[in-house]
Amino acid sequence: MTTPPGPPQDPGQPQQPPPQQPYQQPYPQPYQPGYQQPAYQQPVYGLPNPPGAVAGLVLGIVSVVTCGIPTGPFAIWQSRVADRAMKGSPGAYGGKGMVTAGLVLGIIGTILFGLWILYIVFVLIAIGTS
């Protein structure tokens, strides 16, 4: 089958584009009658951290990561302050794991710092005897 020829075009005239189809969504959206926005729930708050818990954890992390900055004893001190605050008022504070992590990291950082000092002393002794 062939289509019938359209009206003759003048060679000087530009061709006209075919007429546009009206915009139509490719797939109609289904109606959802039972959909409702979820109800707002109140946020759940935990117990506050004891004073010194965050500082002890941060100082402990810094002491382990750097091995050269003596922040380990300060991490131990801050963690002990937080531990005493937790024992002084039971149930008022949360974050026991943070306090323990700060204490352990402070101990590890202090040991690493002590080993670093021993290494420097042995190197200086070795340089001095040679």
mmCIF file with all atom_site columns, all heavy atoms in Angstrom, residues 1-26:
data_model
loop_
_atom_site.group_PDB
_atom_site.id
_atom_site.type_symbol
_atom_site.label_atom_id
_atom_site.label_alt_id
_atom_site.label_comp_id
_atom_site.label_asym_id
_atom_site.label_entity_id
_atom_site.label_seq_id
_atom_site.pdbx_PDB_ins_code
_atom_site.Cartn_x
_atom_site.Cartn_y
_atom_site.Cartn_z
_atom_site.occupancy
_atom_site.B_iso_or_equiv
_atom_site.pdbx_formal_charge
_atom_site.auth_seq_id
_atom_site.auth_comp_id
_atom_site.auth_asym_id
_atom_site.auth_atom_id
_atom_site.pdbx_PDB_model_num
ATOM 1   N N   . MET A 1 1  ? 0.839  -1.172 0.000  1.00 0.00 ? 1  MET A N   1
ATOM 2   C CA  . MET A 1 1  ? 0.000  0.000  0.000  1.00 0.00 ? 1  MET A CA  1
ATOM 3   C C   . MET A 1 1  ? 0.877  1.225  0.000  1.00 0.00 ? 1  MET A C   1
ATOM 4   O O   . MET A 1 1  ? 1.872  1.283  0.701  1.00 0.00 ? 1  MET A O   1
ATOM 5   C CB  . MET A 1 1  ? -0.840 0.048  1.263  1.00 0.00 ? 1  MET A CB  1
ATOM 6   C CG  . MET A 1 1  ? -1.921 -0.935 1.330  1.00 0.00 ? 1  MET A CG  1
ATOM 7   S SD  . MET A 1 1  ? -3.132 -0.253 2.446  1.00 0.00 ? 1  MET A SD  1
ATOM 8   C CE  . MET A 1 1  ? -4.417 -1.267 1.989  1.00 0.00 ? 1  MET A CE  1
ATOM 9   N N   . THR A 1 2  ? 0.434  2.161  -0.648 1.00 0.00 ? 2  THR A N   1
ATOM 10  C CA  . THR A 1 2  ? 1.154  3.421  -0.687 1.00 0.00 ? 2  THR A CA  1
ATOM 11  C C   . THR A 1 2  ? 0.243  4.514  -0.159 1.00 0.00 ? 2  THR A C   1
ATOM 12  O O   . THR A 1 2  ? -0.974 4.437  -0.243 1.00 0.00 ? 2  THR A O   1
ATOM 13  C CB  . THR A 1 2  ? 1.600  3.764  -2.120 1.00 0.00 ? 2  THR A CB  1
ATOM 14  O OG1 . THR A 1 2  ? 0.435  3.863  -2.922 1.00 0.00 ? 2  THR A OG1 1
ATOM 15  C CG2 . THR A 1 2  ? 2.531  2.691  -2.651 1.00 0.00 ? 2  THR A CG2 1
ATOM 16  N N   . THR A 1 3  ? 0.867  5.535  0.384  1.00 0.00 ? 3  THR A N   1
ATOM 17  C CA  . THR A 1 3  ? 0.085  6.663  0.887  1.00 0.00 ? 3  THR A CA  1
ATOM 18  C C   . THR A 1 3  ? -0.122 7.639  -0.250 1.00 0.00 ? 3  THR A C   1
ATOM 19  O O   . THR A 1 3  ? 0.747  7.786  -1.122 1.00 0.00 ? 3  THR A O   1
ATOM 20  C CB  . THR A 1 3  ? 0.816  7.345  2.057  1.00 0.00 ? 3  THR A CB  1
ATOM 21  O OG1 . THR A 1 3  ? 2.086  7.753  1.613  1.00 0.00 ? 3  THR A OG1 1
ATOM 22  C CG2 . THR A 1 3  ? 0.947  6.399  3.229  1.00 0.00 ? 3  THR A CG2 1
ATOM 23  N N   . PRO A 1 4  ? -1.232 8.314  -0.228 1.00 0.00 ? 4  PRO A N   1
ATOM 24  C CA  . PRO A 1 4  ? -1.465 9.269  -1.321 1.00 0.00 ? 4  PRO A CA  1
ATOM 25  C C   . PRO A 1 4  ? -0.503 10.446 -1.177 1.00 0.00 ? 4  PRO A C   1
ATOM 26  O O   . PRO A 1 4  ? -0.134 10.833 -0.074 1.00 0.00 ? 4  PRO A O   1
ATOM 27  C CB  . PRO A 1 4  ? -2.915 9.707  -1.130 1.00 0.00 ? 4  PRO A CB  1
ATOM 28  C CG  . PRO A 1 4  ? -3.257 9.366  0.273  1.00 0.00 ? 4  PRO A CG  1
ATOM 29  C CD  . PRO A 1 4  ? -2.357 8.223  0.656  1.00 0.00 ? 4  PRO A CD  1
ATOM 30  N N   . PRO A 1 5  ? -0.052 10.976 -2.254 1.00 0.00 ? 5  PRO A N   1
ATOM 31  C CA  . PRO A 1 5  ? 0.878  12.110 -2.179 1.00 0.00 ? 5  PRO A CA  1
ATOM 32  C C   . PRO A 1 5  ? 0.199  13.323 -1.582 1.00 0.00 ? 5  PRO A C   1
ATOM 33  O O   . PRO A 1 5  ? -0.996 13.544 -1.771 1.00 0.00 ? 5  PRO A O   1
ATOM 34  C CB  . PRO A 1 5  ? 1.287  12.338 -3.628 1.00 0.00 ? 5  PRO A CB  1
ATOM 35  C CG  . PRO A 1 5  ? 0.194  11.751 -4.440 1.00 0.00 ? 5  PRO A CG  1
ATOM 36  C CD  . PRO A 1 5  ? -0.407 10.637 -3.631 1.00 0.00 ? 5  PRO A CD  1
ATOM 37  N N   . GLY A 1 6  ? 0.954  14.095 -0.819 1.00 0.00 ? 6  GLY A N   1
ATOM 38  C CA  . GLY A 1 6  ? 0.435  15.304 -0.205 1.00 0.00 ? 6  GLY A CA  1
ATOM 39  C C   . GLY A 1 6  ? 0.405  16.434 -1.204 1.00 0.00 ? 6  GLY A C   1
ATOM 40  O O   . GLY A 1 6  ? 0.692  16.255 -2.388 1.00 0.00 ? 6  GLY A O   1
ATOM 41  N N   . PRO A 1 7  ? 0.071  17.618 -0.727 1.00 0.00 ? 7  PRO A N   1
ATOM 42  C CA  . PRO A 1 7  ? 0.061  18.757 -1.652 1.00 0.00 ? 7  PRO A CA  1
ATOM 43  C C   . PRO A 1 7  ? 1.473  19.035 -2.150 1.00 0.00 ? 7  PRO A C   1
ATOM 44  O O   . PRO A 1 7  ? 2.447  18.778 -1.446 1.00 0.00 ? 7  PRO A O   1
ATOM 45  C CB  . PRO A 1 7  ? -0.481 19.905 -0.799 1.00 0.00 ? 7  PRO A CB  1
ATOM 46  C CG  . PRO A 1 7  ? -0.300 19.475 0.609  1.00 0.00 ? 7  PRO A CG  1
ATOM 47  C CD  . PRO A 1 7  ? -0.288 17.978 0.608  1.00 0.00 ? 7  PRO A CD  1
ATOM 48  N N   . PRO A 1 8  ? 1.615  19.513 -3.323 1.00 0.00 ? 8  PRO A N   1
ATOM 49  C CA  . PRO A 1 8  ? 2.956  19.768 -3.870 1.00 0.00 ? 8  PRO A CA  1
ATOM 50  C C   . PRO A 1 8  ? 3.681  20.828 -3.037 1.00 0.00 ? 8  PRO A C   1
ATOM 51  O O   . PRO A 1 8  ? 3.089  21.784 -2.571 1.00 0.00 ? 8  PRO A O   1
ATOM 52  C CB  . PRO A 1 8  ? 2.691  20.232 -5.290 1.00 0.00 ? 8  PRO A CB  1
ATOM 53  C CG  . PRO A 1 8  ? 1.251  20.607 -5.345 1.00 0.00 ? 8  PRO A CG  1
ATOM 54  C CD  . PRO A 1 8  ? 0.550  19.892 -4.238 1.00 0.00 ? 8  PRO A CD  1
ATOM 55  N N   . GLN A 1 9  ? 4.959  20.600 -2.826 1.00 0.00 ? 9  GLN A N   1
ATOM 56  C CA  . GLN A 1 9  ? 5.795  21.526 -2.052 1.00 0.00 ? 9  GLN A CA  1
ATOM 57  C C   . GLN A 1 9  ? 6.525  22.441 -3.016 1.00 0.00 ? 9  GLN A C   1
ATOM 58  O O   . GLN A 1 9  ? 7.003  22.023 -4.059 1.00 0.00 ? 9  GLN A O   1
ATOM 59  C CB  . GLN A 1 9  ? 6.822  20.741 -1.227 1.00 0.00 ? 9  GLN A CB  1
ATOM 60  C CG  . GLN A 1 9  ? 6.219  19.900 -0.132 1.00 0.00 ? 9  GLN A CG  1
ATOM 61  C CD  . GLN A 1 9  ? 5.862  20.737 1.089  1.00 0.00 ? 9  GLN A CD  1
ATOM 62  O OE1 . GLN A 1 9  ? 6.443  21.784 1.310  1.00 0.00 ? 9  GLN A OE1 1
ATOM 63  N NE2 . GLN A 1 9  ? 4.875  20.276 1.840  1.00 0.00 ? 9  GLN A NE2 1
ATOM 64  N N   . ASP A 1 10 ? 6.632  23.687 -2.611 1.00 0.00 ? 10 ASP A N   1
ATOM 65  C CA  . ASP A 1 10 ? 7.413  24.641 -3.376 1.00 0.00 ? 10 ASP A CA  1
ATOM 66  C C   . ASP A 1 10 ? 8.875  24.408 -3.014 1.00 0.00 ? 10 ASP A C   1
ATOM 67  O O   . ASP A 1 10 ? 9.215  24.310 -1.837 1.00 0.00 ? 10 ASP A O   1
ATOM 68  C CB  . ASP A 1 10 ? 6.964  26.056 -3.008 1.00 0.00 ? 10 ASP A CB  1
ATOM 69  C CG  . ASP A 1 10 ? 7.671  27.109 -3.841 1.00 0.00 ? 10 ASP A CG  1
ATOM 70  O OD1 . ASP A 1 10 ? 8.177  26.763 -4.924 1.00 0.00 ? 10 ASP A OD1 1
ATOM 71  O OD2 . ASP A 1 10 ? 7.710  28.274 -3.395 1.00 0.00 ? 10 ASP A OD2 1
ATOM 72  N N   . PRO A 1 11 ? 9.795  24.281 -3.955 1.00 0.00 ? 11 PRO A N   1
ATOM 73  C CA  . PRO A 1 11 ? 11.188 23.989 -3.618 1.00 0.00 ? 11 PRO A CA  1
ATOM 74  C C   . PRO A 1 11 ? 11.831 25.049 -2.731 1.00 0.00 ? 11 PRO A C   1
ATOM 75  O O   . PRO A 1 11 ? 12.729 24.755 -1.975 1.00 0.00 ? 11 PRO A O   1
ATOM 76  C CB  . PRO A 1 11 ? 11.899 23.906 -4.962 1.00 0.00 ? 11 PRO A CB  1
ATOM 77  C CG  . PRO A 1 11 ? 10.885 24.074 -6.012 1.00 0.00 ? 11 PRO A CG  1
ATOM 78  C CD  . PRO A 1 11 ? 9.571  24.355 -5.388 1.00 0.00 ? 11 PRO A CD  1
ATOM 79  N N   . GLY A 1 12 ? 11.387 26.256 -2.699 1.00 0.00 ? 12 GLY A N   1
ATOM 80  C CA  . GLY A 1 12 ? 11.980 27.299 -1.870 1.00 0.00 ? 12 GLY A CA  1
ATOM 81  C C   . GLY A 1 12 ? 11.440 27.288 -0.451 1.00 0.00 ? 12 GLY A C   1
ATOM 82  O O   . GLY A 1 12 ? 11.993 27.907 0.443  1.00 0.00 ? 12 GLY A O   1
ATOM 83  N N   . GLN A 1 13 ? 10.352 26.615 -0.213 1.00 0.00 ? 13 GLN A N   1
ATOM 84  C CA  . GLN A 1 13 ? 9.711  26.570 1.095  1.00 0.00 ? 13 GLN A CA  1
ATOM 85  C C   . GLN A 1 13 ? 10.283 25.413 1.920  1.00 0.00 ? 13 GLN A C   1
ATOM 86  O O   . GLN A 1 13 ? 10.487 24.336 1.393  1.00 0.00 ? 13 GLN A O   1
ATOM 87  C CB  . GLN A 1 13 ? 8.202  26.356 0.930  1.00 0.00 ? 13 GLN A CB  1
ATOM 88  C CG  . GLN A 1 13 ? 7.490  27.482 0.232  1.00 0.00 ? 13 GLN A CG  1
ATOM 89  C CD  . GLN A 1 13 ? 7.093  28.568 1.201  1.00 0.00 ? 13 GLN A CD  1
ATOM 90  O OE1 . GLN A 1 13 ? 6.949  28.306 2.383  1.00 0.00 ? 13 GLN A OE1 1
ATOM 91  N NE2 . GLN A 1 13 ? 6.950  29.780 0.709  1.00 0.00 ? 13 GLN A NE2 1
ATOM 92  N N   . PRO A 1 14 ? 10.537 25.598 3.218  1.00 0.00 ? 14 PRO A N   1
ATOM 93  C CA  . PRO A 1 14 ? 10.991 24.471 4.041  1.00 0.00 ? 14 PRO A CA  1
ATOM 94  C C   . PRO A 1 14 ? 9.835  23.509 4.279  1.00 0.00 ? 14 PRO A C   1
ATOM 95  O O   . PRO A 1 14 ? 8.675  23.905 4.260  1.00 0.00 ? 14 PRO A O   1
ATOM 96  C CB  . PRO A 1 14 ? 11.449 25.124 5.341  1.00 0.00 ? 14 PRO A CB  1
ATOM 97  C CG  . PRO A 1 14 ? 10.733 26.421 5.405  1.00 0.00 ? 14 PRO A CG  1
ATOM 98  C CD  . PRO A 1 14 ? 10.514 26.855 3.970  1.00 0.00 ? 14 PRO A CD  1
ATOM 99  N N   . GLN A 1 15 ? 10.184 22.269 4.490  1.00 0.00 ? 15 GLN A N   1
ATOM 100 C CA  . GLN A 1 15 ? 9.146  21.277 4.735  1.00 0.00 ? 15 GLN A CA  1
ATOM 101 C C   . GLN A 1 15 ? 8.557  21.488 6.127  1.00 0.00 ? 15 GLN A C   1
ATOM 102 O O   . GLN A 1 15 ? 9.258  21.817 7.072  1.00 0.00 ? 15 GLN A O   1
ATOM 103 C CB  . GLN A 1 15 ? 9.724  19.865 4.642  1.00 0.00 ? 15 GLN A CB  1
ATOM 104 C CG  . GLN A 1 15 ? 10.033 19.464 3.233  1.00 0.00 ? 15 GLN A CG  1
ATOM 105 C CD  . GLN A 1 15 ? 10.454 18.000 3.173  1.00 0.00 ? 15 GLN A CD  1
ATOM 106 O OE1 . GLN A 1 15 ? 10.806 17.424 4.177  1.00 0.00 ? 15 GLN A OE1 1
ATOM 107 N NE2 . GLN A 1 15 ? 10.416 17.443 1.991  1.00 0.00 ? 15 GLN A NE2 1
ATOM 108 N N   . GLN A 1 16 ? 7.272  21.280 6.242  1.00 0.00 ? 16 GLN A N   1
ATOM 109 C CA  . GLN A 1 16 ? 6.578  21.408 7.506  1.00 0.00 ? 16 GLN A CA  1
ATOM 110 C C   . GLN A 1 16 ? 6.712  20.101 8.287  1.00 0.00 ? 16 GLN A C   1
ATOM 111 O O   . GLN A 1 16 ? 6.579  19.028 7.716  1.00 0.00 ? 16 GLN A O   1
ATOM 112 C CB  . GLN A 1 16 ? 5.093  21.714 7.279  1.00 0.00 ? 16 GLN A CB  1
ATOM 113 C CG  . GLN A 1 16 ? 4.828  23.054 6.612  1.00 0.00 ? 16 GLN A CG  1
ATOM 114 C CD  . GLN A 1 16 ? 5.200  24.205 7.526  1.00 0.00 ? 16 GLN A CD  1
ATOM 115 O OE1 . GLN A 1 16 ? 5.056  24.106 8.727  1.00 0.00 ? 16 GLN A OE1 1
ATOM 116 N NE2 . GLN A 1 16 ? 5.685  25.289 6.938  1.00 0.00 ? 16 GLN A NE2 1
ATOM 117 N N   . PRO A 1 17 ? 7.013  20.174 9.609  1.00 0.00 ? 17 PRO A N   1
ATOM 118 C CA  . PRO A 1 17 ? 7.075  18.935 10.384 1.00 0.00 ? 17 PRO A CA  1
ATOM 119 C C   . PRO A 1 17 ? 5.673  18.341 10.531 1.00 0.00 ? 17 PRO A C   1
ATOM 120 O O   . PRO A 1 17 ? 4.680  19.059 10.437 1.00 0.00 ? 17 PRO A O   1
ATOM 121 C CB  . PRO A 1 17 ? 7.638  19.368 11.732 1.00 0.00 ? 17 PRO A CB  1
ATOM 122 C CG  . PRO A 1 17 ? 7.282  20.810 11.831 1.00 0.00 ? 17 PRO A CG  1
ATOM 123 C CD  . PRO A 1 17 ? 7.275  21.339 10.426 1.00 0.00 ? 17 PRO A CD  1
ATOM 124 N N   . PRO A 1 18 ? 5.606  17.047 10.764 1.00 0.00 ? 18 PRO A N   1
ATOM 125 C CA  . PRO A 1 18 ? 4.280  16.447 10.944 1.00 0.00 ? 18 PRO A CA  1
ATOM 126 C C   . PRO A 1 18 ? 3.646  16.995 12.215 1.00 0.00 ? 18 PRO A C   1
ATOM 127 O O   . PRO A 1 18 ? 4.333  17.414 13.140 1.00 0.00 ? 18 PRO A O   1
ATOM 128 C CB  . PRO A 1 18 ? 4.576  14.947 11.071 1.00 0.00 ? 18 PRO A CB  1
ATOM 129 C CG  . PRO A 1 18 ? 6.001  14.865 11.466 1.00 0.00 ? 18 PRO A CG  1
ATOM 130 C CD  . PRO A 1 18 ? 6.664  16.075 10.888 1.00 0.00 ? 18 PRO A CD  1
ATOM 131 N N   . PRO A 1 19 ? 2.330  17.010 12.319 1.00 0.00 ? 19 PRO A N   1
ATOM 132 C CA  . PRO A 1 19 ? 1.676  17.564 13.510 1.00 0.00 ? 19 PRO A CA  1
ATOM 133 C C   . PRO A 1 19 ? 2.025  16.733 14.745 1.00 0.00 ? 19 PRO A C   1
ATOM 134 O O   . PRO A 1 19 ? 2.165  15.518 14.666 1.00 0.00 ? 19 PRO A O   1
ATOM 135 C CB  . PRO A 1 19 ? 0.186  17.491 13.180 1.00 0.00 ? 19 PRO A CB  1
ATOM 136 C CG  . PRO A 1 19 ? 0.071  16.514 12.061 1.00 0.00 ? 19 PRO A CG  1
ATOM 137 C CD  . PRO A 1 19 ? 1.377  16.530 11.335 1.00 0.00 ? 19 PRO A CD  1
ATOM 138 N N   . GLN A 1 20 ? 2.167  17.409 15.893 1.00 0.00 ? 20 GLN A N   1
ATOM 139 C CA  . GLN A 1 20 ? 2.540  16.761 17.153 1.00 0.00 ? 20 GLN A CA  1
ATOM 140 C C   . GLN A 1 20 ? 1.321  16.077 17.765 1.00 0.00 ? 20 GLN A C   1
ATOM 141 O O   . GLN A 1 20 ? 0.217  16.592 17.716 1.00 0.00 ? 20 GLN A O   1
ATOM 142 C CB  . GLN A 1 20 ? 3.086  17.791 18.152 1.00 0.00 ? 20 GLN A CB  1
ATOM 143 C CG  . GLN A 1 20 ? 4.364  18.452 17.722 1.00 0.00 ? 20 GLN A CG  1
ATOM 144 C CD  . GLN A 1 20 ? 5.570  17.594 18.074 1.00 0.00 ? 20 GLN A CD  1
ATOM 145 O OE1 . GLN A 1 20 ? 5.504  16.801 18.982 1.00 0.00 ? 20 GLN A OE1 1
ATOM 146 N NE2 . GLN A 1 20 ? 6.629  17.754 17.324 1.00 0.00 ? 20 GLN A NE2 1
ATOM 147 N N   . GLN A 1 21 ? 1.594  14.931 18.403 1.00 0.00 ? 21 GLN A N   1
ATOM 148 C CA  . GLN A 1 21 ? 0.543  14.254 19.143 1.00 0.00 ? 21 GLN A CA  1
ATOM 149 C C   . GLN A 1 21 ? 0.459  14.904 20.525 1.00 0.00 ? 21 GLN A C   1
ATOM 150 O O   . GLN A 1 21 ? 1.467  15.328 21.074 1.00 0.00 ? 21 GLN A O   1
ATOM 151 C CB  . GLN A 1 21 ? 0.881  12.764 19.300 1.00 0.00 ? 21 GLN A CB  1
ATOM 152 C CG  . GLN A 1 21 ? 0.899  12.002 17.990 1.00 0.00 ? 21 GLN A CG  1
ATOM 153 C CD  . GLN A 1 21 ? -0.498 11.875 17.392 1.00 0.00 ? 21 GLN A CD  1
ATOM 154 O OE1 . GLN A 1 21 ? -1.472 11.817 18.106 1.00 0.00 ? 21 GLN A OE1 1
ATOM 155 N NE2 . GLN A 1 21 ? -0.568 11.873 16.074 1.00 0.00 ? 21 GLN A NE2 1
ATOM 156 N N   . PRO A 1 22 ? -0.711 14.995 21.118 1.00 0.00 ? 22 PRO A N   1
ATOM 157 C CA  . PRO A 1 22 ? -0.783 15.566 22.472 1.00 0.00 ? 22 PRO A CA  1
ATOM 158 C C   . PRO A 1 22 ? -0.022 14.670 23.453 1.00 0.00 ? 22 PRO A C   1
ATOM 159 O O   . PRO A 1 22 ? 0.055  13.474 23.270 1.00 0.00 ? 22 PRO A O   1
ATOM 160 C CB  . PRO A 1 22 ? -2.285 15.602 22.781 1.00 0.00 ? 22 PRO A CB  1
ATOM 161 C CG  . PRO A 1 22 ? -2.917 14.668 21.817 1.00 0.00 ? 22 PRO A CG  1
ATOM 162 C CD  . PRO A 1 22 ? -2.006 14.593 20.615 1.00 0.00 ? 22 PRO A CD  1
ATOM 163 N N   . TYR A 1 23 ? 0.524  15.306 24.491 1.00 0.00 ? 23 TYR A N   1
ATOM 164 C CA  . TYR A 1 23 ? 1.319  14.567 25.479 1.00 0.00 ? 23 TYR A CA  1
ATOM 165 C C   . TYR A 1 23 ? 0.430  13.577 26.213 1.00 0.00 ? 23 TYR A C   1
ATOM 166 O O   . TYR A 1 23 ? -0.669 13.894 26.646 1.00 0.00 ? 23 TYR A O   1
ATOM 167 C CB  . TYR A 1 23 ? 1.961  15.529 26.490 1.00 0.00 ? 23 TYR A CB  1
ATOM 168 C CG  . TYR A 1 23 ? 2.682  14.827 27.596 1.00 0.00 ? 23 TYR A CG  1
ATOM 169 C CD1 . TYR A 1 23 ? 3.894  14.216 27.351 1.00 0.00 ? 23 TYR A CD1 1
ATOM 170 C CD2 . TYR A 1 23 ? 2.149  14.730 28.865 1.00 0.00 ? 23 TYR A CD2 1
ATOM 171 C CE1 . TYR A 1 23 ? 4.567  13.536 28.347 1.00 0.00 ? 23 TYR A CE1 1
ATOM 172 C CE2 . TYR A 1 23 ? 2.797  14.061 29.869 1.00 0.00 ? 23 TYR A CE2 1
ATOM 173 C CZ  . TYR A 1 23 ? 4.018  13.463 29.603 1.00 0.00 ? 23 TYR A CZ  1
ATOM 174 O OH  . TYR A 1 23 ? 4.675  12.776 30.600 1.00 0.00 ? 23 TYR A OH  1
ATOM 175 N N   . GLN A 1 24 ? 0.973  12.393 26.356 1.00 0.00 ? 24 GLN A N   1
ATOM 176 C CA  . GLN A 1 24 ? 0.220  11.356 27.044 1.00 0.00 ? 24 GLN A CA  1
ATOM 177 C C   . GLN A 1 24 ? 1.196  10.551 27.883 1.00 0.00 ? 24 GLN A C   1
ATOM 178 O O   . GLN A 1 24 ? 2.289  10.227 27.422 1.00 0.00 ? 24 GLN A O   1
ATOM 179 C CB  . GLN A 1 24 ? -0.453 10.460 26.011 1.00 0.00 ? 24 GLN A CB  1
ATOM 180 C CG  . GLN A 1 24 ? -1.479 9.525  26.577 1.00 0.00 ? 24 GLN A CG  1
ATOM 181 C CD  . GLN A 1 24 ? -2.176 8.762  25.460 1.00 0.00 ? 24 GLN A CD  1
ATOM 182 O OE1 . GLN A 1 24 ? -1.553 8.450  24.467 1.00 0.00 ? 24 GLN A OE1 1
ATOM 183 N NE2 . GLN A 1 24 ? -3.446 8.507  25.640 1.00 0.00 ? 24 GLN A NE2 1
ATOM 184 N N   . GLN A 1 25 ? 0.829  10.226 29.131 1.00 0.00 ? 25 GLN A N   1
ATOM 185 C CA  . GLN A 1 25 ? 1.691  9.409  29.968 1.00 0.00 ? 25 GLN A CA  1
ATOM 186 C C   . GLN A 1 25 ? 1.766  8.013  29.366 1.00 0.00 ? 25 GLN A C   1
ATOM 187 O O   . GLN A 1 25 ? 0.760  7.484  28.895 1.00 0.00 ? 25 GLN A O   1
ATOM 188 C CB  . GLN A 1 25 ? 1.158  9.316  31.392 1.00 0.00 ? 25 GLN A CB  1
ATOM 189 C CG  . GLN A 1 25 ? 1.298  10.589 32.162 1.00 0.00 ? 25 GLN A CG  1
ATOM 190 C CD  . GLN A 1 25 ? 0.837  10.419 33.602 1.00 0.00 ? 25 GLN A CD  1
ATOM 191 O OE1 . GLN A 1 25 ? 0.179  9.453  33.925 1.00 0.00 ? 25 GLN A OE1 1
ATOM 192 N NE2 . GLN A 1 25 ? 1.196  11.375 34.440 1.00 0.00 ? 25 GLN A NE2 1
ATOM 193 N N   . PRO A 1 26 ? 2.961  7.410  29.398 1.00 0.00 ? 26 PRO A N   1
ATOM 194 C CA  . PRO A 1 26 ? 3.081  6.084  28.801 1.00 0.00 ? 26 PRO A CA  1
ATOM 195 C C   . PRO A 1 26 ? 2.276  5.032  29.540 1.00 0.00 ? 26 PRO A C   1
ATOM 196 O O   . PRO A 1 26 ? 1.706  4.156  28.924 1.00 0.00 ? 26 PRO A O   1
ATOM 197 C CB  . PRO A 1 26 ? 4.577  5.785  28.868 1.00 0.00 ? 26 PRO A CB  1
ATOM 198 C CG  . PRO A 1 26 ? 5.129  6.744  29.845 1.00 0.00 ? 26 PRO A CG  1
ATOM 199 C CD  . PRO A 1 26 ? 4.196  7.905  29.912 1.00 0.00 ? 26 PRO A CD  1
#
